[in-house]
Amino acid sequence: ATGVRHSDALRELHPESSIISLHLWQEQAIDKWRLCDPNLKQGEVKDKEYRGIVQAVTGAGKTVFAMECIWVWLQEHPAGNVTVLVPTRALQRQWRAILRQTFDLPVGVYGGGRKEWKQINVATMNTAAKGLPNGDMDGDHLIVCDECHNLGSESRRYAVLNNKHTAVLGLSATPEREDSGLSVVSYICGPVVYRYGYDDARLDDVIMPFVVRAVATPLTRYEFKVYEELSEDIKKIGFIIRGRYGPETNPFTIKQDPSDPDRTVDHFKKLCRDRKDIVNRAYHRFSCIDAILEMHQGARGMIFHERIDQVDWMVEKYSGYVPETLPDGLTTWDEAGIAEPYVDQWADINPAVYHGNKSTGDNDRALEAFKTGESQLLFSVKALREGVDVPDADLGIMVSGTNA
């Protein structure tokens, strides 16, 4: 009931533990979710209880909060099923471990080549969109959507819509999407019933302080020339598209007939991708990392990029070897008129790599090497950018990424 200190519930599960407790924001958010304000109601689910999105800053404790929500819901629905939806296999492994530890029960895994179904389950969104084992069955079913902003995509939204449920909890630091705002995600999960921002978390001493710095890096003369040529072509073709579809048209939102696509729109999108690629592969993005690491000598850092080939390029360099080409994988140092980088100072860093093309064992060993200090740098391609708990780091560098 409202006003109960729900942290007592988790202590009931593990009476031997002295470390399980909730922050005040978590207790308040549980009550807001449990008794969702019907005036905020969106979507088709008629029940006003156990529905809504909790928006909380990264690091505030959304996972522990979700464990408590599951426990509270199961007290009223002891025979009900629980499905946690996640966007990645890395998050699936993390959630399964935490659920098993919290509830001391077998946890089903659905996705990543496995189809094990229990009372409590973790499923990837892509797999769940094709239908869960109990997706068309009546009965109590709570769906917890981690990183719920991913449900705004055309395919992943069906991870919820294609599966019957009586309760839903959305979790995200940024539920509002650039393309559709909150409209799609709120239709699926309900309204945002509680917000806990960075200022609140710092005031409550829930998260550690940090500093974000945006670093501008120049293009080389050749990169700038290609960038300008692509920009001019984008401008010309954009003018043609707006004349065809209307002056306020966003070419990326045009719905095309697959049997008769507009080649002009396709060409526009390719030019935009090529221009973005010039920026993401820009040489000075990577030379800037050297300066940052030299400023933070001895720091344990995580470095993110969205392309595996360029992560491999950086790993080679920070292992103490000179790559044969620039980060574009094509241009030699002589062709670019750039001196080969000095790499001897990086020989002892022993970089670790974590991404989706590596095996689960390799990724686990990479995290362990970073955790123990065997590796000073951890490189990742998308897999660690959302929600995954990683060992303490002093420094994070986003070399390039999506607009998410």
Side-chain angles (χ1 to χ4, degrees), residues 106-361:
V107 175
V109 178
Y110 216 73
R114 300 175 64 176
K115 293 187 177 181
E116 306 164 2
W117 194 253
K118 309 289 184 183
Q119 182 180 11
I120 300 177
N121 308 277
V122 187
T124 57
M125 292 177 178
N126 290 340
T127 300
K130 302 171 186 176
L132 296 171
N134 70 337
D136 59 352
M137 296 172 59
D138 294 327
D140 295 318
H141 184 198
L142 165 62
I143 294 182
V144 177
C145 307
D146 192 22
E147 307 296 345
C148 66
H149 51 273
N150 286 280
L151 296 174
S153 75
E154 287 286 346
S155 58
R156 284 178 167 174
R157 66 188 62 178
Y158 292 103
V160 176
L161 297 178
N162 276 356
N163 297 290
K164 287 186 178 180
H165 56 282
T166 55
V168 61
L169 168 64
L171 301 169
S172 179
T174 55
E176 191 166 353
R177 293 171 58 96
E178 289 186 355
D179 54 356
S180 58
L182 272 171
S183 59
V184 175
V185 179
S186 284
Y187 179 82
I188 296 170
C189 297
V192 176
V193 295
Y194 195 90
R195 288 183 170 88
Y196 190 66
Y198 172 76
D199 291 341
D200 299 320
R202 283 296 304 125
L203 186 64
D204 295 342
D205 204 25
V206 168
I207 62 173
M208 296 291 292
F210 59 90
V211 177
V212 177
R213 299 193 186 281
V215 180
T217 56
L219 298 174
T220 64
R221 184 176 300 176
Y222 173 74
E223 290 167 347
F224 183 75
K225 177 176 179 294
V226 176
Y227 184 91
E228 288 292 286
E229 290 172 352
L230 288 169
S231 296
E232 186 63 27
D233 289 343
I234 289 170
K235 181 179 178 180
K236 291 177 181 177
I237 295 180
F239 181 79
I240 294 172
I241 291 173
R242 284 188 290 275
R244 187 175 298 172
Y245 293 94
E248 303 300 322
T249 298
N250 179 349
F252 288 95
T253 62
I254 294 174
K255 302 292 184 182
Q256 297 199 67
D257 181 354
S259 63
D260 186 25
D262 188 332
R263 301 299 181 188
T264 304
V265 174
D266 291 341
H267 186 50
F268 177 90
K269 293 178 180 179
K270 182 182 183 302
L271 289 172
C272 290
R273 289 194 299 269
D274 291 345
R275 184 174 66 174
K276 181 182 178 182
D277 202 42
I278 289 291
V279 174
N280 283 348
R281 291 174 179 264
Y283 170 70
H284 288 301
R285 276 186 180 268
F286 299 86
S287 63
C288 182
I289 298 173
D290 294 354
I292 294 172
L293 293 179
E294 288 170 359
M295 291 171 60
H296 298 272
Q297 292 185 25
R300 299 171 65 241
M302 297 181 63
I303 300 182
F304 299 90
H305 199 289
E306 67 172 7
R307 295 183 62 102
I308 290 176
D309 59 338
Q310 291 176 19
V311 162
D312 290 341
W313 186 93
M314 289 186 284
V315 169
E316 182 179 8
K317 177 180 176 181
Y318 293 110
S319 296
Y321 300 98
V322 178
E324 293 183 1
T325 68
L326 269 66
D328 63 8
L330 301 171
T331 310
T332 66
W333 301 101
D334 287 340
E335 290 170 341
I338 298 174
E340 291 185 354
Y342 180 71
V343 298
D344 289 354
Q345 73 270 37
W346 313 121
D348 297 328
I349 284 181
N350 188 29
V353 187
Y354 188 114
H355 59 64
N357 282 5
K358 289 190 168 290
S359 69
T360 299

